Amino acid sequence: MVTSAPRTRRTPRRTPRRTPLRAVGGTGGRTARWTAWGLMAGGAAMVPWTGVLAARLPSTTTVSHWSTAWAGLDAMIATGLLTTGLLMARGDVRHGLTAAATGSLLVMDAWFDVTTAAPGAGRRLAVALAVGAELPAAAVCAALALRAVAPAAGHVRNRPGQAAGDRRRPSVADSCPRRLKETDETEGLRPLE
């Protein structure tokens, strides 16, 4: 009688791959300080530039690819909503990233819809869509992004090796519900507790 070898489960990675914080300008290090100062300098430089644009740009213009611009923006929003929903359904905490980007696109869409609409019925429709659909959807996306990045205090558990009174914010990977830990072969795999 021929028997096959017992099947073994693939062991999941114990820790997710992470890029060192200093490599991406995270907390600490010279790179992080220079990145922070560079971002602040860029923001400060945008203030006078915005004034220049407001004073010098014409109030009307002709655009040759108007429909392409709007269809492209709506396609990006649709992709963001679909991706966020898919990642949420899979329990992937990265849905916060796509939710943040999609919320930003929705706010931008509402802004340009209202500011570029013709006076009268067109502007009323743009305001109604902004208030009734785009801005509420952006608020939902913002809430999802914030919840993914900073879980509520009631749901935060101490990390292994973390003291009970330590109130440091856990990383997104620490709050991931799909992380598993390895036990002995007789028990298999079980969720972290």
Side-chain angles (χ1 to χ4, degrees), residues 7-152:
R7 291 185 150 193
T8 58
R9 290 186 182 187
R10 288 178 49 173
T11 304
R13 297 170 58 101
R14 288 187 175 179
T15 57
R17 266 190 283 168
R18 296 181 186 174
T19 305
L21 290 175
R22 290 177 188 231
V24 293
T27 58
R30 186 179 302 192
T31 303
R33 284 191 299 273
W34 281 107
T35 302
W37 282 106
L39 291 170
M40 289 187 285
M46 289 297 294
V47 173
W49 177 246
T50 303
V52 169
L53 289 178
R56 294 196 177 174
L57 283 177
S59 60
T60 61
T61 187
T62 303
V63 180
S64 58
H65 299 290
W66 186 252
S67 61
T68 304
W70 284 108
L73 177 60
D74 286 345
M76 287 187 274
I77 292 170
T79 301
L81 292 171
L82 289 168
T83 304
T84 302
L86 177 65
L87 290 173
M88 280 187 70
R90 294 177 57 196
D92 193 328
V93 295
R94 293 176 295 177
H95 73 273
L97 298 172
T98 57
T102 305
S104 299
L105 288 172
L106 284 162
V107 170
M108 185 177 71
D109 188 26
W111 172 262
F112 284 110
D113 278 345
V114 171
T115 59
T116 61
R123 179 149 310 136
R124 285 191 299 272
L125 177 62
V127 169
L129 285 173
V131 171
E134 294 162 340
L135 295 178
V140 168
C141 287
L144 290 172
L146 288 173
R147 194 176 82 189
V149 172

